[in-house]
Amino acid sequence: MNSIQNYILEHKNRFLDELIELLKIPSISADSAYKTDVLKTADAVKLRLEQAGCDNVEICETDGYPIVYGQKIIDKNLPTVLVYGHYDVQPPDPINLWDSPPFEPVIKKTEKHPDGAIFARGACDDKGQMYMHVKAMEFMTSTNQLPCNVKFMIEGEEEVGSANLATFVKNNHNKLKNDVILISDTGMIANDVPSITTGLRGLSYVEVEVTGPNRDLHSGLYGGAVANPINILTKMIASLHDEDNHITIPGFYDNVEDLSTEERAQMAKAPFSLENYKKALDINAVYGETGYTTNERNAIRPTLDVNGIWGGYTGEGAKTVIASKAYAKISMRLVPNQDWENITQLFKTHFESIAPQGVTVKVTPHHGGQGYVTPIDSIGYKAASHAYQDTFGKAPIPQRSGGSIPIVALFEQELKSKTILMGFGLDSDAIHSPNEHFGVWNYLKGIETIPLFYKYFTEFSK
Amino acid sequence: MNSIQNYILEHKNRFLDELIELLKIPSISADSAYKTDVLKTADAVKLRLEQAGCDNVEICETDGYPIVYGQKIIDKNLPTVLVYGHYDVQPPDPINLWDSPPFEPVIKKTEKHPDGAIFARGACDDKGQMYMHVKAMEFMTSTNQLPCNVKFMIEGEEEVGSANLATFVKNNHNKLKNDVILISDTGMIANDVPSITTGLRGLSYVEVEVTGPNRDLHSGLYGGAVANPINILTKMIASLHDEDNHITIPGFYDNVEDLSTEERAQMAKAPFSLENYKKALDINAVYGETGYTTNERNAIRPTLDVNGIWGGYTGEGAKTVIASKAYAKISMRLVPNQDWENITQLFKTHFESIAPQGVTVKVTPHHGGQGYVTPIDSIGYKAASHAYQDTFGKAPIPQRSGGSIPIVALFEQELKSKTILMGFGLDSDAIHSPNEHFGVWNYLKGIETIPLFYKYFTEFSK
């Protein structure tokens, strides 16, 4: 299937120009000021899907931004791949830290991208990675090499929580029926170390409020005689981990899967330098749960982190006040089988139970999502693995990611099919940060690899 | 000495009018916009001291606002009382919470002040209490009943830390030479429960900064694998108290005096309702060091309170970030014999020593002051006690205050004399808060009691 390489060579510049056009539209879903641009982007995606050979391409309205749907059904008896991606992007702030305007894409060489990288908001997350699938589709249809059925579902609210996607999926089981779901919205270890994300962590995010006296007090006149909400909050939060950094919430670990030594061994193959890791973060030591490596701690183990804390006087200088209230935002990363709503309830019950007399505690759940894992012996994973083997010259490493993509668990629940996360970005591509970029080599390598996934998935499904 | 009562009856309205005139000038030392008013107030005080019969009244310039000095030396062989007070006031903010303009004094009846109270910024702290001494002086000189020598030192920077008073005192040992220092800048328990403040707590105020990774991190990708500065800060702060709420800093209690059972018994006489205390603060229980009562906890025992804490994301909603830094402002109230600079050093050494690997800690001292205590068997205390006995019909209760007035320790150090804190305000007078007021009864009772202190102090000094 060398023809894909020739095709890419031939159309490379157009592939880049089309992506750059797409990146110029500031489709910031979080900021209503950009509503017209987000809608304009949906129309652009619709047009590109049609040009790529999709039929029945439509703008599906939701209570929020629309979902662009398109499909190509060549044979009811062949397997169907559902491609998911999103056309909305994160806000570019802090804007002043960008070396070039976030919506004026430029191609610059970097150490990790000697062939150049496209710098723009959304370059990697997710316009660039989503568009690889559109171009791969164009290749397969225009050269009559599409081996199976394809469905595209490209949403415009991923960066704001996919609020309306769930409803759409629930109401369209038939339309979205598929044998495997393909997503490129994650990363890989390095250009010479391909990897496939096989696991995502779930999330439970809560906010806690500790209230002591009914008003701020003078710390001289009341200090030492009443419970200080800030002191109490620190005591309560500190008690959530023991000396081994195990989380002390009763029942927290009940459903945590113990990974097979085989998969832990597979994971350990990922090249990793603790020295470089510490150097990159300017820390003299890593820190975490006893008995697990750094890569295991942030991938296959659940965590509890305070994401924000505040209370009392935080201005310049000194104020001798005992605050009436103290607050914290706390998030727990969960592993597959931990139900986020159950964990949220366990946290609430426990946190309220450890509040000493003299204060009252309020726990407010923010949001959450389930974890997810793809078995590495599934047809989908094997097809992806073979595809990488062909284009990268080596088998990809299965990798658990510490992050969360709640919709993946939703897809499995609603559509009863597994998701394959074929990400071609790098951690250093600065998604969600200033100077986001996506390697030209990675963009083209993705376009080259995707058709092979279709080929192998169809073969293995026979 | 009934003549004082008659004198007050006769001049009551003028005494009130003069104070109200003084209260109309917004002498806010913290806000340079009021500079002219602060200086104008100093002139007004100078004039009143002259009218009260002081000699050599002068405006003593400093690097900040001037100190008004005046004296009446009647006999080198008689004892000398040095009166200290301040003519500057706190800012009135939040201004919208005042029922009447802070610098347009009005007299209104309140539950605790059936004879009416003067509502204005500075009414109690400290113009009203300072002016009691001026009027007491007027009475003694105009009726030839001044029993000893008097010196007045009224400053204009108390509300901003008395920055220049220390220099003035150090450079004027002779001018300020005295046998006892008299200050009315504190309160008493109730109008029918006179009390004298015999102790003040010292203060050490520090700010701490915990730094982990060199930048904010995604809690999904790094959570559980690196030290989270906020989690670490809560652990470190929580460890500063043990289960009995003793402070765990090594050496912290080394110089803490154990109060005599007699003085503890004296203190315990102060009428106190734990129920009302809890009700007033809307708390279901008090909290503090095991083995001490509420009044002891906030008066004779040292404390450690977090006055402010912040770090990470504190805005609306949720952000899954691991902050690079976390901060807290921590103050320790100290008891007599605890040296604040030593305690600050002990805190710094200990706090830095408990920082785990993976973070760095910075401790920045803000400011501090020494504690102070007046022995209840001193001539000064006895004289005050007798004066109260005469005017209130009962002996005052010696009371340790949890607050701090650093200059009192300075006076003893520089001038080698003890201070008697004859305060006539009530805790409910809302000093430093909106609707500050001072009872008319308290104002006149102070004017009535002060001359008796002079009388007894002179007698007991023979």
Side-chain angles (χ1 to χ4, degrees), chain A residues 210-213 217 222-232 322-324 356-360, chain B residues 245 277 281 283-288 297 305:
Chain A
V210 175
T211 304
L217 301 175
Y222 291 90
V226 299
N228 176 329
I230 302 178
N231 288 69
I232 298 298
I322 289 177
S324 170
Q357 285 211 314
V359 302
T360 55
Chain B
N245 280 304
Y277 186 84
L281 300 175
I283 52 178
N284 60 5
V286 289
Y287 186 94
R297 285 167 175 170
D305 273 297

Side-chain angles (χ1 to χ4, degrees), chain A residues 90 199 288 339 376 384 435:
Chain A
Q90 278 272 321
D339 176 69
I376 57 180
N435 304 311

Side-chain angles (χ1 to χ4, degrees), chain A residues 10-28:
Chain A
E10 192 179 326
H11 301 282
K12 177 184 169 185
N13 294 335
R14 178 172 55 85
F15 287 178
L16 286 169
D17 294 344
E18 288 175 8
L19 174 55
I20 284 168
E21 280 314 302
L22 201 58
L23 291 169
K24 282 181 181 169
I25 318 174
S27 51
I28 306 166

Side-chain angles (χ1 to χ4, degrees), chain A residues 240-241 247 249 302-306 330-333 347, chain B residues 231:
Chain A
L240 296 175
H241 288 92
I247 292 155
I249 299 167
T303 65
L304 185 152
D305 273 298
V306 182
I330 299 174
S331 69
M332 290 159 282
R333 293 284 168 171
F347 177 93
Chain B
N231 287 68

Side-chain angles (χ1 to χ4, degrees), chain A residues 235-292:
Chain A
K235 249 189 160 51
M236 293 173 72
I237 291 174
S239 77
L240 296 175
H241 288 92
D242 65 17
E243 305 69 37
D244 294 323
N245 279 305
H246 288 299
I247 292 155
T248 57
I249 299 167
F252 186 83
Y253 289 99
D254 283 359
N255 301 317
V256 171
E257 59 159 4
D258 281 320
L259 236 61
S260 70
T261 39
E262 192 225 343
E263 190 156 1
R264 282 180 79 172
Q266 281 276 14
M267 281 183 63
K269 285 197 191 138
F272 176 74
S273 157
L274 194 57
E275 278 322 301
N276 294 346
Y277 186 85
K278 290 190 289 184
K279 201 144 153 264
L281 300 175
D282 280 340
I283 52 178
N284 60 6
V286 291
Y287 186 93
E289 188 178 5
T290 306
Y292 294 91

Side-chain angles (χ1 to χ4, degrees), chain A residues 24-326:
Chain A
K24 282 181 181 169
I25 318 174
S27 51
I28 306 166
S29 50
D31 186 343
S32 54
Y34 294 87
K35 186 174 181 189
T36 326
D37 295 299
V38 181
L39 296 172
K40 194 172 145 202
T41 313
D43 293 333
V45 171
K46 175 174 184 288
L47 175 69
R48 294 305 186 185
L49 282 176
E50 284 163 346
Q51 293 171 340
C54 285
D55 305 324
N56 328 94
V57 185
E58 52 183 322
I59 299 278
C60 307
E61 295 305 334
T62 72
D63 290 348
Y65 286 119
I67 290 158
V68 184
Y69 177 85
Q71 63 179 39
K72 184 91 183 170
I73 308 299
I74 58 172
D75 182 342
K76 290 251 172 302
N77 303 316
L78 287 170
T80 300
V81 176
L82 172 64
V83 176
Y84 164 84
H86 63 94
Y87 61 81
D88 63 321
V89 300
Q90 278 272 321
D93 335 61
I95 197 96
N96 57 309
L97 295 185
W98 284 76
D99 298 331
S100 58
F103 298 106
E104 296 173 25
V106 289
I107 296 181
K108 286 181 290 186
K109 286 181 168 35
T110 76
E111 191 194 336
K112 291 197 166 154
H113 298 297
D115 300 344
I118 309 163
F119 282 77
R121 167 60 81 228
C124 180
D125 175 19
D126 180 51
K127 283 175 176 170
Q129 296 215 74
M130 175 269 289
Y131 205 64
M132 296 183 309
H133 291 269
V134 180
K135 294 298 95 180
M137 179 70 177
E138 172 195 313
F139 162 74
M140 294 185 285
T141 53
S142 62
T143 61
N144 297 312
Q145 295 186 62
L146 180 64
C148 60
N149 306 310
V150 190
K151 295 175 177 178
F152 280 86
M153 173 172 64
I154 314 299
E155 74 157 316
E157 298 185 306
E158 198 273 345
E159 300 295 1
V160 288
S162 303
N164 298 291
L165 183 70
T167 320
F168 180 78
V169 172
K170 288 191 177 99
N171 298 339
N172 293 280
H173 284 186
N174 246 333
K175 181 192 205 116
L176 303 174
K177 196 168 179 310
N178 67 80
D179 299 285
V180 70
I181 298 167
L182 192 55
I183 303 180
S184 296
D185 198 15
T186 50
M188 60 182 184
I189 296 169
N191 286 358
D192 56 353
V193 187
S195 61
I196 294 177
T197 302
T198 56
L200 296 163
R201 288 198 287 191
L203 178 73
S204 168
Y205 200 112
V206 301
E207 185 160 326
V208 300
E209 174 190 290
V210 175
T211 304
N214 53 7
R215 63 182 192 278
D216 289 2
L217 301 175
H218 186 293
S219 71
L221 302 180
Y222 291 90
V226 299
N228 176 329
I230 302 178
N231 288 69
I232 298 298
L233 178 61
T234 63
K235 249 189 160 51
M236 293 173 72
I237 291 174
S239 77
L240 296 175
H241 288 92
D242 65 17
E243 305 69 37
D244 294 323
N245 279 305
H246 288 299
I247 292 155
T248 57
I249 299 167
F252 186 83
Y253 289 99
D254 283 359
N255 301 317
V256 171
E257 59 159 4
D258 281 320
L259 236 61
S260 70
T261 39
E262 192 225 343
E263 190 156 1
R264 282 180 79 172
Q266 281 276 14
M267 281 183 63
K269 285 197 191 138
F272 176 74
S273 157
L274 194 57
E275 278 322 301
N276 294 346
Y277 186 85
K278 290 190 289 184
K279 201 144 153 264
L281 300 175
D282 280 340
I283 52 178
N284 60 6
V286 291
Y287 186 93
E289 188 178 5
T290 306
Y292 294 91
T293 67
T294 293
N295 282 333
E296 289 173 336
R297 285 167 175 171
N298 64 14
I300 63 170
R301 297 299 293 172
T303 65
L304 185 152
D305 273 298
V306 182
N307 302 111
I309 191 166
W310 68 104
Y313 180 69
T314 59
E316 282 236 335
K319 189 177 175 191
T320 51
V321 64
I322 289 177
S324 170
K325 289 173 181 290

